[in-house]
């Protein structure tokens, strides 16, 4: 049973590109995926489809993929179970090439073919092998991306005659087709087009190891290849260093307070800003008063999201320059991102509305490529629901406490029950499980062991229902006070890098 293309979500945007220089690439939401080399065009197609099937398995649903190759372009639907459906394929015009005869008439040797005597005026056509409908359907199922087409309608003729001097060159002909003798000099061989070749065939040179004992030997003059752990870290850095077309919005949500939402916002913003260099803002979208401003560096003013909304007309004016946004955000000098604080007026009673979220988001996406949104604890609030409408990637932080995990589960369940965009965000969510607890001092001994075991139990519980789950080790630098990336222990930095890479893969 085929799947209607309208039933398959177009998110994320996937393109499979096969080039005429013998290389192929799969691009998922702006991120390039490596495709193994192939000796033929069809082998490259199959290798590219294998990568797309992996993406479908990751998302646990069919995906749509735009295909391009030297012979045409179209669209496929790729299922996690390796089933592939062709939606469309438009071949490019095929250039007909002159076929040079194998030999000239002067050098052709007389062929000797034993034939059955038949009437000289009646050509005999060799019948083709019958092909069943089932075999044809199976071939289409196995090869939905069109194979390399035949370059020209070349026919092999067999002319059978009872005459002794008749030609016996093999050929299949129609009854009315005139028989023309092959004359003239041998045609020159057709040269390949310069478009069909490339001198750029070398793979990138692998940089030597920089970490561990391998890195030590490299610095002593013995070039060592990096370990698998270092290669994995390099891949995560490459992932978070991408620039994606258009702005991206990340929502960090959990309806329970103390679930590590604010530290998650700070860490994701710091890593994405540090490695990608993209303009990044952390926005406290609490409906009243949030805590993001308490955990980050304060600028030389007290402005908040309400001030930005009041000045939105000026900020959206074509004549306003990019530097004007600095009047409303608080720059993090070490971690290179900005913070848009919530209203911190103790006497204020204003709650941000859905329309105000639209205005603030419009302003921020004009000045920033990445928007990371902190959130309140009420999934029914108007600003919370409108935040979800603008979200490209959902992140659900959890601490090693069971009520935080239950609140996270209910948050995902709520989004999934709403269907559409909300449900897709829930299925594609990244859950970040921290070993931290409500303890206000460093954990050691049995307390730390219990936190690790509980974090693993919670991570295992979420894994079947979301796209990725990442664990973060306990780090006292995340417990109190302003958060700085450089203050974290190396293992914690590495874990947050993995978390940010998992988030970026969803763009």
């Amino acid at each position: 049973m085929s799947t209607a293309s309208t039933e398959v979500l177009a998110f994320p945007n996937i393109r499979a590109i096969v080039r005429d220089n013998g290389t192929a690439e799969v691009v998922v939401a702006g991120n390039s995926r490596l495709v193994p080399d192939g000796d033929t065009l069809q082998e490259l197609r199959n290798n590219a489809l294998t990568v797309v099937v992996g993406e479908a398995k990751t998302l646990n649903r069919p995906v749509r993929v735009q295909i391009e190759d030297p012979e045409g372009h179209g669209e496929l639907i790729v299922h996690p179970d390796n089933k592939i459906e062709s939606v469309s394929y438009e071949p490019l015009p095929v250039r007909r090439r002159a076929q040079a005869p194998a030999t000239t008439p002067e050098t052709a040797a007389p062929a000797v073919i034993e034939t059955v005597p038949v009437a000289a005026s009646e050509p005999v056509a060799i019948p083709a092998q019958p092909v069943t409908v089932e075999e044809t359907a199976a071939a289409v199922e196995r090869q939905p991306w069109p194979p390399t087409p035949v370059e020209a309608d070349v026919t092999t003729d067999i002319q059978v005659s009872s005459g002794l001097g008749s030609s016996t060159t093999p050929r299949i002909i129609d009854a009315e087709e005139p028989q023309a003798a092959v004359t003239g000099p041998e045609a020159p061989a057709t040269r390949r087009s310069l478009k069909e070749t490339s001198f750029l065939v070398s793979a990138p040179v692998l940089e030597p190891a920089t970490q561990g004992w391998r890195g030590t030997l490299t610095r002593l003059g013995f070039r060592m290849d990096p370990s698998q752990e270092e290669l994995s870290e390099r891949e995560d850095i490459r992932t978070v260093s991408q620039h994606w077309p258009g702005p991206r919005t990340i929502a960090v949500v959990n309806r329970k307070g103390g679930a590590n939402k604010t530290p998650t916002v700070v860490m994701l913003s710091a890593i994405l800003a540090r490695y990608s260099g993209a303009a990044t803002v952390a926005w406290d979208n609490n409906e009243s008063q949030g805590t993001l401003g308490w955990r980050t560096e304060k600028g030389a003013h007290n402005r908040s999201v309400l001030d930005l909304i009041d000045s939105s007309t000026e900020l959206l004016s074509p004549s306003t320059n990019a530097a004007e946004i600095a009047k409303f955000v608080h720059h993090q000098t070490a971690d290179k991102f900005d913070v848009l604080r919530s209203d911190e007026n103790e006497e204020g009673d204003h709650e941000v509305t859905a329309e105000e979220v639209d205005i603030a988001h419009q302003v921020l996406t004009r000045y920033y490529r990445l928007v990371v949104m902190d959130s309140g604890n009420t999934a029914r609030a108007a600003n919370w629901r409108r935040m979800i409408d603008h979200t490209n990637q959902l992140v659900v932080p959890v601490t090693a406490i069971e009520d935080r995990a239950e609140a996270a589960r209910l948050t995902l369940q709520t989004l999934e029950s709403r269907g559409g965009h909300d449900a897709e965000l829930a299925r594609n969510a990244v859950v970040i499980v921290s070993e931290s607890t409500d303890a206000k001092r460093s954990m050691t001994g049995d307390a730390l062991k219990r936190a690790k075991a509980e974090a693993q139990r919670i991570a295992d519980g979420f894994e079947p229902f979301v796209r990725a789950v990442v664990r973060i080790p306990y780090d006292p630098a995340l417990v109190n006070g302003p958060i700085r990336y450089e203050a974290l222990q190396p293992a914690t930095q590495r874990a947050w890098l993995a978390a940010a890479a998992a988030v970026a893969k969803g763009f």
Side-chain angles (χ1 to χ4, degrees), residues 431 433 453-465 469 471:
V431 173
V433 184
E454 183 67 3
Q456 186 62 57
R457 183 184 73 84
I458 293 171
D460 293 341
F462 277 108
E463 190 168 356
F465 305 104
V469 179
R471 282 181 55 192

Side-chain angles (χ1 to χ4, degrees), residues 29-348:
N31 296 319
S32 178
R33 301 287 191 266
L34 180 64
V35 175
D37 296 335
D39 295 329
T40 64
L41 180 61
Q42 189 58 44
E43 187 175 348
L44 281 170
R45 288 167 171 158
N46 294 339
N47 292 345
L49 287 177
T50 300
V51 176
V52 178
V53 169
E55 295 295 330
K57 289 181 178 179
T58 300
L59 296 174
N60 197 29
R61 62 169 175 81
V63 296
R64 291 161 61 175
V65 53
Q66 303 297 322
I67 56 175
E68 303 175 27
D69 62 32
E71 296 174 352
H73 58 87
E75 183 179 26
L76 303 176
I77 295 177
V78 178
H79 295 256
D81 59 358
N82 294 317
K83 178 183 177 184
I84 301 171
E85 302 178 55
S86 180
V87 177
S88 64
Y89 188 81
E90 182 177 346
L92 297 175
V94 179
R95 296 181 179 178
R96 301 175 67 89
R97 296 180 178 177
Q99 299 295 325
T103 58
T104 61
E106 290 78 5
T107 59
V112 179
I113 298 180
E114 295 183 2
T115 60
V116 179
V118 294
S121 59
E122 298 181 2
V124 178
I126 298 177
Q129 292 293 330
V131 180
T132 64
V133 175
E134 291 77 13
E135 291 174 341
T136 302
V140 173
E141 183 72 14
R142 288 193 303 270
Q143 200 176 75
W145 193 337
T148 305
V150 179
E151 287 189 356
D153 297 334
V154 180
T155 57
T156 304
D157 302 349
I158 298 180
Q159 178 180 323
V160 183
S161 174
S162 58
L164 296 176
S166 62
S167 171
T168 57
T169 303
R171 193 176 181 222
I172 301 174
I173 59 175
D174 293 331
E176 293 79 16
E177 180 181 351
Q179 302 177 24
V182 179
T183 60
E186 181 178 355
T190 303
R191 291 185 178 182
R192 292 181 61 189
S193 169
L194 288 173
K195 295 181 179 180
E196 299 175 2
T197 188
S198 173
F199 296 102
L200 303 177
V201 296
S202 299
V205 177
L206 182 64
E207 297 179 7
T210 61
Q211 300 177 2
W213 63 268
R214 296 171 182 264
T216 301
L217 290 177
T218 296
R219 288 187 288 274
L220 291 175
F222 302 95
R223 183 185 178 92
M224 300 292 294
D225 288 339
S227 64
Q228 191 59 43
E229 291 78 9
E230 185 172 354
L231 288 174
S232 176
E233 181 175 345
R234 291 180 183 181
E235 178 60 22
D236 285 347
I237 291 174
R238 189 195 69 82
T239 300
V240 300
S241 300
Q242 301 289 325
H243 278 196
W244 299 271
R248 294 291 187 272
T249 300
I250 303 166
V252 179
V253 301
N254 188 323
R255 64 172 63 178
K256 181 70 174 176
N260 230 33
K261 292 193 293 291
T262 297
T264 298
V265 169
V266 175
M267 283 294 95
L268 293 180
S269 300
I271 291 171
L272 291 170
R274 278 170 163 264
Y275 285 104
S276 73
T280 304
V281 61
W283 171 12
D284 194 343
N285 186 44
N286 199 293
E287 55 269 18
S288 55
Q289 185 177 25
T291 60
L292 181 60
W294 303 350
R295 306 300 305 273
T296 54
E297 187 176 349
K298 184 180 180 301
H301 59 82
N302 295 314
R303 295 186 182 92
S304 70
V305 63
L306 297 185
D307 299 293
L308 179 137
I309 292 169
D310 290 341
S311 302
S312 59
T313 302
E314 176 188 350
L315 290 170
L316 292 173
S317 171
S319 62
T320 303
N321 62 58
E324 293 299 311
I325 194 68
K327 296 177 180 178
F328 305 93
V329 295
H330 302 260
H331 184 63
Q332 306 304 294
T333 54
D335 290 329
K336 310 306 180 186
F337 67 96
D338 293 341
V339 173
L340 179 62
R341 296 185 168 196
S342 60
D343 178 26
E344 297 181 2
N345 183 3
E346 294 291 347
E347 299 178 357

